[in-house]
Amino acid sequence: MPFLRRFSVPLRPRTLLLLGVIVGLILCMWQTSRLAREQALQALRQDAENELRLSAASLVGHLSRHDYLPELLASREMVKRFLNAPDAQDPMPLNRMLDRFRATANVSDIYLLDQAGNTLVASNWHRPDTFIGQNYRFRPYYQEAMAGKNGSFFGLGTQSQDRGYYFSAPVWLDETAVDARPDGVMVLKVLLDTVETGWAEQDAELLVTDHDGVIFMASHPELRLTTLAPLTTAQRQAVTASRRYGNAALPYSGLHEHHRRDTRTRLVGFDSGPLAGQRYLSLTQPMANFDWHIHILKPLTPVRQAQWLAAVLAGGLYGLIALGLGIGWQRLRLRRERERFAERERQTLAQARDELERHVESRTRDLVATNRQLSAEIEERRRAEDSLRDTRDELVQAAKLAVLGQLAAGINHELNQPLAAIRAYTENARAFIARQRIETADANLVQVLELIDRMADISAQLRQFSRKSGDNLTAVAVTPCFEYALRLFQSRIQESQTTVRQHWPSLEAWVRADPVRLEQVLVNLIGNALQAMSETHAPCLTLAIVPEATCVHLDVIDNGPGIAEADLTRIFEPFYTTKSMGSGLGLGLSISRRIIEDLGGRLDADNHSDGGAHFRVTLPRIADPDDPARAEESAHA
């Protein structure tokens, strides 16, 4: 509890500070988002105002350029002459003339009505849905023209069901009379598909509604002949009675107002229909000459993007400012901490300096004594290493002498035979000298000298094997080393009737080694092989030299009982032997492996696939020193 009380005080200001930073970030992003929204809405409204003004002017221009044509056609003499006696004249010339005017003015249809509202001639006389014979007395443009005025009307065609705008003008045969009444009506129909096609290319939705709120023009096809608001029963009856839109259902478009900014600007959306799921800025402009309203709907996507961008930028700027203030406060706090720490350090150093001076003298005395002890230990270690090295060399020499002891019986036999022969030849020589047979005595003495040389060779081999090896490595031919080792065991091989198989390469293989130590290893391996085959019927010793690109393998293989699996991992351990008591110390293989490793090679043991033990010595190969070309090639390699 004291621990919690100690840390409860500083945690509260930090928590309040963190909460304040978070609340400030939220307020900053919210206010910036609101300001960006308002500015984006103003910019979007300005764009909508410009686009709406241009679209309305384009629509008025498209309609106004044809309003003169019905009056122009109504004044033509050919039209009046036909209208004066329609039953007595051929209507085809007038039909063709109206069709030519239709094509020239690029309008939908032109047709002529009589006083009763029946169509007499029309530009579409040749089409199945021709107006000829149809009565349009119910149309407001007919009624206005019969009242002596130019008329206009928008609605669906009763024959084509196409939306069109109609212009009409009265046809007078005699307008001078006081009670004169028009004798017919010239009508022109204009389609509005071209205007709507141009609207579809804008990044906005354009609508034109009549005084009942019916959308009769729209950039989106599915909004045409729908309503901005559900029609009341009275409105629907009035629209149906006017036959303006034929039998169209006039469903509700689903437009819903979310917020009204002013009398002309609203934020709206669609509850259903093709534009559902998105909000728009709606701007309305009246078209007084036509009793219409034109609306433009601009998506609020740029507004939302501007809001998010402004909020992110404000949050980033706020974060940078907060980070800068935090870093500044942290630097100030760290500087104060460093000043306090420096002051404490100065006081601590002053105390430590005094304490250090007191300890230096005592530590110096201890260090001097430790240095003396360490020097003595180093000297003792050096002497121990020298002694170990000498002991190891003596142990190697002892192993040689042990092998010599094993060879003593065979060598003794080798020496006894020449001695017996020398004695016989000497006695015979004395007898021949006594008989004055000098030449025969001399021949016996020559035999004695040859036997003495043979004994000297045996003695030399023993002296060579027993000498100590040097430390310098030289180029050594492998075959002579094998042959020397075999000579030492010649008598033993003959007595045991052992078959020796030699596999030497055609070219001599050379290694870098100490010849004495290499011969010692081979003597040890051959001696072990002969001893392993002591109880083997038809013993066979295989010696092989296998040269490779970078190394030379020396194989010693016997056909004895082999090496037990449990002994394979331990035969190179010092003092480990499988021989009977008194037959060896178990140092031969251990010393042999140590010698080969000192020569930079490897000694391995395994059982041969045909039975018996297989020992392999691997040494680095060198070029023949007597062949300059091979030596140079080896040096470059």
Side-chain angles (χ1 to χ4, degrees):
M1 292 302 293
F3 178 81
L4 294 177
R5 285 196 298 271
R6 184 175 61 181
F7 283 91
S8 61
V9 175
L11 283 178
R12 179 175 296 177
R14 293 180 184 178
T15 304
L16 293 177
L17 178 62
L18 180 60
L19 290 176
V21 170
I22 295 175
V23 171
L25 175 63
I26 295 174
L27 290 176
C28 177
M29 295 179 66
W30 177 56
Q31 289 294 337
T32 305
S33 174
R34 289 189 59 187
L35 179 61
R37 172 184 170 83
E38 190 62 30
Q39 293 177 348
L41 284 174
Q42 290 291 342
L44 190 64
R45 187 190 186 283
Q46 186 65 34
D47 294 341
E49 182 77 33
N50 295 332
E51 293 181 20
L52 187 61
R53 189 182 302 111
L54 291 175
S55 300
S58 175
L59 178 59
V60 172
H62 181 75
L63 297 176
S64 299
R65 65 181 178 178
H66 302 297
D67 58 357
Y68 71 94
L69 191 57
E71 187 175 1
L72 176 65
L73 292 174
S75 64
R76 293 186 66 87
E77 185 64 26
M78 185 177 180
V79 174
K80 292 181 179 181
R81 187 168 55 249
F82 178 82
L83 192 59
N84 187 37
D87 296 333
Q89 300 184 50
D90 184 7
M92 290 307 299
L94 187 56
N95 285 333
R96 293 190 181 95
M97 184 195 75
L98 295 181
D99 191 31
R100 288 196 301 272
F101 272 95
R102 178 202 62 77
T104 302
N106 193 22
V107 297
S108 176
D109 298 291
I110 304 175
Y111 51 98
L112 176 65
L113 307 179
D114 62 10
Q115 283 185 335
N118 297 315
T119 305
L120 301 178
V121 293
S123 61
N124 61 356
W125 54 272
H126 56 285
R127 296 202 327 239
D129 58 346
T130 180
F131 297 162
I132 297 176
Q134 299 295 323
N135 187 283
Y136 295 104
R137 184 183 185 88
F138 64 92
R139 288 297 195 187
Y141 61 77
Y142 166 81
Q143 299 167 8
E144 292 175 359
M146 292 302 296
K149 301 181 293 182
N150 291 339
S152 60
F153 177 73
F154 174 83
L156 293 180
T158 57
Q159 291 294 107
S160 63
Q161 295 297 312
D162 291 333
R163 294 170 300 124
Y165 197 82
Y166 300 84
F167 293 98
S168 65
V171 182
W172 302 87
L173 297 180
D174 182 12
E175 55 183 339
T176 59
V178 177
D179 58 347
R181 188 169 180 266
D183 296 281
V185 177
M186 182 64 67
V187 184
L188 180 143
K189 180 180 179 181
V190 180
L191 296 181
L192 303 177
D193 295 343
T194 304
V195 178
E196 292 177 326
T197 303
W199 288 353
E201 298 176 356
Q202 300 184 25
D203 186 20
E205 300 294 338
L206 286 164
L207 313 174
V208 179
T209 59
D210 61 8
H211 60 278
D212 292 318
V214 177
I215 303 173
F216 59 85
M217 291 183 65
S219 57
H220 200 291
E222 295 186 23
L223 292 178
R224 295 166 192 167
L225 299 182
T226 61
T227 61
L228 290 181
L231 295 177
T232 63
T233 303
Q235 288 177 322
R236 188 171 293 278
Q237 290 176 351
V239 171
T240 303
S242 69
R243 302 174 65 182
R244 180 188 298 271
Y245 303 111
N247 297 324
L250 303 179
Y252 172 45
S253 64
L255 183 69
H256 176 71
E257 179 181 319
H258 294 284
H259 175 68
R260 179 175 292 275
R261 294 179 61 84
D262 52 47
T263 56
R264 297 177 55 206
T265 310
R266 300 179 298 165
L267 300 182
V268 300
F270 287 86
D271 297 333
S272 60
L275 302 182
Q278 189 173 2
R279 291 192 176 187
Y280 299 87
L281 173 70
S282 172
L283 187 64
T284 303
Q285 177 178 320
M287 301 178 68
N289 294 337
F290 300 93
D291 193 19
W292 294 346
H293 285 81
I294 184 169
H295 312 264
I296 187 170
L297 305 180
K298 296 285 287 184
L300 294 181
T301 303
V303 177
R304 288 194 295 271
Q305 292 176 348
Q307 280 185 275
W308 280 108
L309 180 61
V312 171
L313 291 177
L317 181 61
Y318 182 91
L320 290 176
I321 295 175
L323 180 62
L325 292 176
I327 292 175
W329 176 78
Q330 187 70 9
R331 288 173 61 87
L332 178 62
R333 188 178 67 85
L334 289 176
R335 187 177 66 181
R336 292 178 179 176
E337 286 291 334
R338 283 197 297 268
E339 291 175 354
R340 290 195 294 267
F341 179 76
E343 181 62 27
R344 290 196 301 269
E345 284 296 310
R346 283 194 294 270
Q347 297 176 0
T348 304
L349 285 176
Q351 297 175 358
R353 185 174 57 252
D354 297 339
E355 185 69 20
L356 181 61
E357 290 177 354
R358 289 194 297 269
H359 286 286
V360 165
E361 184 177 356
S362 62
R363 292 293 184 183
T364 302
R365 290 193 300 268
D366 295 340
L367 184 59
V368 169
T370 302
N371 286 338
R372 289 175 181 172
Q373 183 179 357
L374 182 59
S375 298
E377 291 178 355
I378 291 174
E379 181 63 23
E380 183 65 24
R381 182 179 181 86
R382 186 186 61 79
R383 289 196 299 268
E385 289 179 352
D386 292 341
S387 176
L388 179 60
R389 190 180 301 108
D390 294 341
T391 301
R392 185 184 63 187
D393 294 340
E394 291 297 333
L395 187 58
V396 172
Q397 187 65 17
K400 288 184 181 181
L401 296 178
V403 174
L404 284 177
Q406 295 175 6
L407 298 175
I411 294 172
N412 183 44
H413 179 72
E414 291 285 334
L415 293 177
N416 283 336
Q417 287 182 348
L419 285 175
I422 288 172
R423 181 179 182 86
Y425 281 122
T426 303
E427 290 177 351
N428 290 338
R430 289 179 63 187
F432 288 135
I433 290 173
R435 298 175 186 178
Q436 297 299 317
R437 296 173 60 181
I438 302 302
E439 294 180 359
T440 305
D442 183 63
N444 285 342
L445 292 176
V446 170
Q447 293 294 328
V448 170
L449 290 176
E450 291 178 357
L451 292 172
I452 291 173
D453 291 337
R454 180 181 174 187
M455 296 175 64
D457 290 340
I458 295 173
S459 176
Q461 292 178 9
L462 294 177
R463 286 196 304 273
Q464 180 181 354
F465 182 72
S466 62
R467 72 183 185 276
K468 290 188 176 182
S469 60
D471 294 332
N472 296 327
L473 304 183
T474 60
V476 178
V478 179
T479 304
C481 292
F482 260 128
E483 293 174 347
Y484 167 76
L486 279 175
R487 285 198 300 270
L488 290 181
F489 293 99
Q490 193 62 41
S491 60
R492 187 170 173 183
I493 291 172
Q494 293 175 355
E495 290 180 358
S496 60
Q497 298 181 354
T498 300
T499 302
V500 179
R501 296 176 181 173
Q502 301 176 5
H503 301 287
W504 308 147
S506 58
L507 295 178
E508 183 60 69
W510 292 78
V511 296
R512 183 173 299 278
D514 178 9
V516 176
R517 287 191 283 176
L518 180 55
E519 290 168 359
Q520 178 182 349
V521 173
L522 295 178
V523 168
N524 190 21
L525 295 179
I526 293 173
N528 287 347
L530 293 175
Q531 187 174 2
M533 296 186 295
S534 60
E535 298 181 0
T536 301
H537 177 70
C540 179
L541 176 65
T542 302
L543 305 177
I545 301 173
V546 183
E548 293 186 356
T550 57
C551 63
V552 178
H553 301 297
L554 287 69
D555 293 335
V556 178
I557 306 171
D558 62 63
N559 63 344
I563 307 171
E565 291 295 332
D567 297 331
L568 276 175
T569 58
R570 302 189 59 191
I571 58 175
F572 291 108
E573 295 180 5
F575 303 106
Y576 183 80
T577 179
T578 59
K579 300 176 183 179
S580 60
M581 186 66 67
S583 299
L585 298 176
L587 293 173
L589 289 178
S590 175
I591 294 174
S592 297
R593 169 172 275 192
R594 180 60 180 271
I595 291 173
I596 296 302
E597 290 176 350
D598 290 343
L599 297 178
R602 188 174 71 251
L603 174 59
D604 299 309
D606 201 353
N607 286 314
H608 196 263
S609 58
D610 295 334
H614 178 191
F615 286 86
R616 166 165 282 192
V617 176
T618 303
L619 290 172
R621 184 179 183 181
I622 63 173
D624 187 352
D626 297 331
D627 186 353
R630 291 176 60 86
E632 182 178 357
E633 181 181 353
S634 177
H636 289 322

